[in-house]
Amino acid sequence: NLFVFPQKEDFVDNVKDVQRYLDEALPQVGKILQSFTDVISDVTKPELEDLYLRSFEVQSITTLDIGYVVFGDDYKRGELLVNLNKEHQKYGIECGVELADNLSNVLKLINVIEDTELLEDLVQKIIAAALIKMIEGYGDDQLLARERVYIKHHKTLLDKHEYFTIYKHALFALYKALDHDFKIKIQEQPKRSGGFLSSIKQEIKLES
């Protein structure tokens, strides 16, 4: 519920439900999420939508399509999408307008997958690997490099909201919660075609 577009009126209530659950079950993770919950609970709905769009879609910091984060343009992402689609269909999970590897859709599989080996691989090799890269995208050097690309090609940079990096707290809280349940093992990152900055440059090139 933390990573869907915050269009529905119950989005903030859902975030607060997650916060209450973590405060009771995993208080250390709850402390990490608290900054996100405080901001989400205080901003206006248009600001809330803007924070999501600026984080994941428009002049974005990262993307929620975790297959792309892990594999880039490599054919392995295509294989992942095919397999995830099969799993979603098997368990009757609706992906809506997002792709099968969108973080919000992939997380729906965790509580229903019966194959423990598949579940372990999904968490360790895909979700955790993607989260590490996504969180790294909020580093100062990464943010600065991304801004330079946008300014170079668009001659402008959208105004930053005061809390434009707030989603990093939600991503980090998710990582720590998964680490608690699955004991994440840091693995060698798969080779991928290009990075997120490369994809931005390519999209701009195609547009022009």
Side-chain angles (χ1 to χ4, degrees):
N1 287 330
L2 302 184
F3 304 103
V4 298
F5 183 66
Q7 185 176 25
K8 295 183 178 180
E9 295 299 330
D10 61 353
F11 176 79
V12 174
D13 288 337
N14 287 335
V15 172
K16 290 180 178 179
D17 286 342
V18 174
Q19 183 68 59
R20 280 191 288 270
Y21 170 78
L22 290 176
D23 287 343
E24 295 178 4
L26 298 171
Q28 293 303 315
V29 180
K31 289 180 181 179
I32 296 172
L33 185 66
Q34 190 67 60
S35 296
F36 177 79
T37 304
D38 289 345
V39 169
I40 293 305
S41 303
D42 191 51
V43 298
T44 64
K45 191 169 185 296
E47 286 179 307
L48 189 56
E49 294 180 358
D50 183 62
L51 285 171
Y52 178 93
L53 292 172
R54 287 296 308 279
S55 295
F56 306 118
E57 294 188 17
V58 182
Q59 291 191 359
S60 55
I61 295 173
T62 186
T63 175
L64 289 175
D65 295 333
I66 62 175
Y68 183 80
V69 174
V70 176
F71 297 115
D73 295 321
D74 193 272
Y75 72 92
K76 291 181 181 178
R77 189 203 174 190
E79 291 183 350
L80 176 67
L81 285 170
V82 170
N83 290 323
L84 284 175
N85 272 317
K86 289 179 181 177
E87 293 300 317
H88 287 308
Q89 291 172 9
K90 177 180 178 180
Y91 294 105
I93 295 173
E94 296 291 335
C95 290
V97 299
E98 304 294 349
L99 294 174
D101 66 346
N102 184 275
L103 181 61
S104 62
N105 285 328
V106 177
L107 291 176
K108 295 174 185 177
L109 287 171
I110 289 181
N111 287 330
V112 296
I113 288 181
E114 298 169 352
D115 185 330
T116 55
E117 184 176 352
L118 175 60
L119 175 60
E120 186 73 14
D121 283 346
L122 180 62
V123 172
Q124 298 282 358
K125 298 179 180 179
I126 305 299
I127 302 176
L131 286 172
I132 290 171
K133 286 181 174 291
M134 294 164 77
I135 293 167
E136 286 175 350
Y138 284 87
D140 291 341
D141 291 343
Q142 290 268 21
L143 291 173
L144 182 58
R146 191 173 294 105
E147 289 180 2
R148 285 173 176 166
V149 171
Y150 287 130
I151 292 173
K152 178 180 179 180
H153 291 277
H154 293 307
K155 310 302 180 188
T156 186
L157 193 67
L158 295 177
D159 290 338
K160 292 180 183 177
H161 189 282
E162 180 182 359
Y163 302 113
F164 82 107
T165 61
I166 195 62
Y167 269 92
K168 70 179 178 183
H169 298 284
L171 293 168
F172 189 46
L174 171 60
Y175 179 87
K176 296 300 288 186
L178 290 174
D179 186 36
H180 176 273
D181 289 345
F182 294 91
K183 303 297 183 287
I184 292 173
K185 307 172 188 67
I186 304 299
Q187 304 179 31
E188 182 179 352
Q189 293 288 327
K191 291 183 179 180
R192 50 162 293 163
S193 303
F196 191 59
L197 282 178
S198 298
S199 73
I200 295 170
K201 294 176 183 177
Q202 182 64 23
E203 288 178 12
I204 292 172
K205 182 178 179 181
L206 290 173
E207 289 174 1
S208 59

